[in-house]
Amino acid sequence: KTIISDTANFTRYQRDKFRTIAKKAKVDAVVIYVNVPDSVARLRWQRNRVTKERYDVRDEDFAEVADNFQAPASDENVIYFNGSSSIDKWIEKHFH
């Protein structure tokens, strides 16, 4: 069985909590790291305020994540996605 937690988990501490739960359940935890430069994230956030395509993120929530973000370390069982290949090829490579 697979469980996907679509949460920010922007600190190592938060990700460690999920790993602890996974270990107790005797399953592997994987971090999928979508590497988006800060400048791009800010542009998308501001553009969304105009388009309203997604739920708006409050200024203080965006700032908390941006100011406290800790990229996953190599020992965290990380799968990286940076947009350099098609999403379909990336999924095929990592999940089939």
Side-chain angles (χ1 to χ4, degrees), residues 39-57:
S39 60
V40 173
R42 289 179 187 280
L43 178 65
R44 290 176 181 173
W45 173 51
Q46 293 301 313
R47 186 173 37 219
N48 186 61
R49 292 231 162 130
V50 174
T51 65
K52 300 185 186 322
E53 292 176 12
R54 291 181 279 304
Y55 176 79
D56 185 40
V57 176

Side-chain angles (χ1 to χ4, degrees), residues 5-10 18:
S5 173
D6 183 19
T7 57
N9 290 316
F10 59 92
F18 271 99

